[in-house]
Amino acid sequence: MTEKPVVIAVTGPTATGKTALGIELAKKLYGEIVSCDSMQVYKGLEIGTAQPDEKELSQARHHLVGFLGWEEDFSVSDYVKLAGRTIAEIHDRGRLPVLVGGTGLYARSLLRGFTFTEECRDDGLRDKLFLEAQELGPEEMHRRLAELDPESAREIHPNNVKRVLRALEYCMLSGEPFSMQTARSRKAEPPYRHVMFCPVFRDRQRLYERINARVDRMLENGLVCEAERLYSYCQSAPKPPTAAQSIGYKELFPYFQGKMSLEEAVENIKMESRRYAKRQLTWFAREQDVRYLYMDELDGVEGALEECMKELENCGLYAGLSLQKGGDAD
């Protein structure tokens, strides 16, 4: 029987050092990085989505970063297909895929081999639900989902409007709960041997301070101008793109509309980023065999890298990695 390919994953909350650790693992293990972030796929949104900068991109080859126009839709199904092909190509080059990012649904779906059906899809219904969400608000759409599919409503956060609408669309077209399709997909055989590292902080306040500091850096680097370009596009677009729902952009829109000060908008970005980190912590706590890296107890990225290497040896993956120092990185 052919042995499953190995994938190393670095996932977890925002602002914990995933990008830096992923790069060091890729350098150490002759790997290439596959982004696992639902918003970093969009080009033109480099600052607000915290895409790797030029220096970071030069240190290791990256995939699925900044390749899609912000007007394009991109689903978890799209991600699993594209990331799967990318991982296969990386292995064909004799390299190691290093999955890096904080979108838990993407990581879980890819690593566990979830399957998705495109049969229950109706663009007209989807547009209708989207317009209703704009008019009635996310809470009302989530309430509707709770009536049709209580289990999915418990799993999907009300602010994840795209996912709520997809679940509603499925329920209305198929006549069955979206959670039933999700349960069927989870019976799939995992396609990879993987280990998941999750950088976290025991001191939650340290994490929040890092989040606040990162938002300040984004502002210094031009976040307001980047968000204003997206806002201007939304004014004439048939419907706001998914990218407009990303934290860091939607909080600035009221500022552009003259409804609040820049200081208030920035504080909202920080608050929503902290809340998002909490949701990520809750999500990854439910993952199977996650290896936590307590960054406030380790000696920075170097200490975390050392801990990763020990763990790879302990779980028997390091010895089984087919590493080729002379592999083609192009």
Side-chain angles (χ1 to χ4, degrees):
M1 185 175 67
T2 304
E3 197 169 54
K4 294 178 181 178
V6 174
V7 174
I8 307 300
V10 181
T11 60
T14 187
T16 53
K18 297 186 297 294
T19 296
L21 178 57
I23 288 172
E24 291 306 314
L25 278 166
K27 289 160 63 178
K28 181 79 172 179
L29 299 173
Y30 310 101
E32 299 180 21
I33 292 174
V34 181
S35 175
C36 186
D37 188 295
S38 62
M39 291 298 162
Q40 287 189 2
V41 299
Y42 295 109
K43 56 187 174 184
L45 302 179
E46 293 82 7
I47 300 170
T49 63
Q51 292 181 24
D53 59 28
E54 290 185 8
K55 181 179 178 182
E56 291 166 332
L57 291 171
S58 69
Q59 295 181 66
R61 186 171 180 180
H62 287 68
H63 302 270
L64 308 189
V65 175
F67 68 94
L68 197 66
W70 61 28
E71 73 282 359
E72 299 291 334
D73 288 329
F74 192 70
S75 68
V76 60
S77 175
D78 296 326
Y79 176 77
V80 169
K81 292 175 185 175
L82 190 53
R85 289 200 298 268
T86 302
I87 287 172
E89 291 167 359
I90 292 171
H91 271 286
D92 287 345
R93 288 194 289 272
R95 313 286 285 190
L96 177 72
V98 181
L99 193 71
V100 180
T103 302
L105 179 63
Y106 281 17
R108 178 185 293 176
S109 301
L110 175 67
L111 296 175
R112 295 194 193 176
F114 289 1
T115 56
F116 302 88
T117 178
E118 297 296 332
E119 297 171 0
C120 291
R121 178 187 177 99
D122 184 309
D123 290 340
L125 176 58
R126 183 170 295 192
D127 289 344
K128 176 177 178 292
L129 290 171
F130 184 86
L131 291 173
E132 289 178 354
Q134 282 189 302
E135 180 181 351
L136 303 174
E139 293 81 8
E140 170 60 20
M141 307 310 288
H142 193 263
R143 185 195 65 76
R144 292 187 189 180
L145 178 60
E147 290 182 350
L148 294 174
D149 186 355
E151 185 174 342
S152 287
R154 286 192 295 269
E155 286 286 324
I156 304 173
H157 193 278
N159 289 344
N160 191 346
V161 178
K162 179 180 177 181
R163 190 74 175 156
V164 169
L165 298 187
R166 171 60 184 139
L168 275 172
E169 177 190 26
Y170 184 89
C171 292
M172 295 169 71
L173 290 173
S174 70
E176 71 171 20
F178 184 65
S179 54
M180 290 184 64
Q181 190 270 336
T182 302
R184 285 195 296 271
S185 76
R186 289 175 178 172
K187 294 179 181 179
E189 177 71 17
Y192 310 110
R193 290 185 298 147
H194 77 273
V195 60
M196 180 181 288
F197 295 111
C198 186
V200 292
F201 287 82
R202 288 196 190 275
D203 183 355
R204 188 71 63 87
Q205 190 58 38
R206 286 278 301 277
L207 174 58
Y208 294 162
E209 290 171 359
R210 288 174 61 91
I211 289 172
N212 293 341
R214 188 168 79 163
V215 172
D216 289 337
R217 288 196 300 273
M218 288 178 174
L219 290 164
E220 293 171 2
N221 291 334
L223 175 61
V224 174
C225 291
E226 187 176 81
E228 192 166 17
R229 289 195 296 271
L230 178 59
Y231 174 75
S232 297
Y233 170 82
C234 291
Q235 300 315 294
S236 58
K239 64 177 183 179
T242 301
Q245 293 300 314
S246 180
I247 295 172
Y249 300 110
K250 60 184 176 62
E251 292 81 13
L252 283 168
F253 287 5
Y255 164 65
F256 300 139
Q257 295 164 348
K259 296 179 179 179
M260 67 172 57
S261 68
L262 179 58
E263 290 74 16
E264 290 173 311
V266 169
E267 186 52 44
N268 285 341
I269 295 173
K270 293 178 178 179
M271 179 179 65
E272 289 302 320
S273 297
R274 295 192 297 267
R275 288 176 175 172
Y276 179 52
K278 289 181 183 178
R279 296 197 296 272
Q280 288 175 302
L281 285 166
T282 299
W283 178 281
F284 287 107
R286 298 197 299 262
E287 288 304 287
Q288 300 172 351
D289 300 323
V290 63
R291 273 76 165 180
Y292 288 109
L293 301 170
Y294 295 99
M295 303 299 283
D296 41 358
E297 297 177 359
L298 296 169
D299 184 20
V301 175
E302 295 79 9
L305 177 62
E306 184 178 345
E307 194 70 18
C308 289
M309 300 309 296
K310 290 178 183 176
E311 189 60 39
L312 289 173
E313 291 180 1
N314 290 339
C315 68
L317 277 181
Y318 183 64
L321 292 176
S322 177
L323 305 179
Q324 297 181 3
K325 294 185 179 182
D328 182 8
D330 294 330

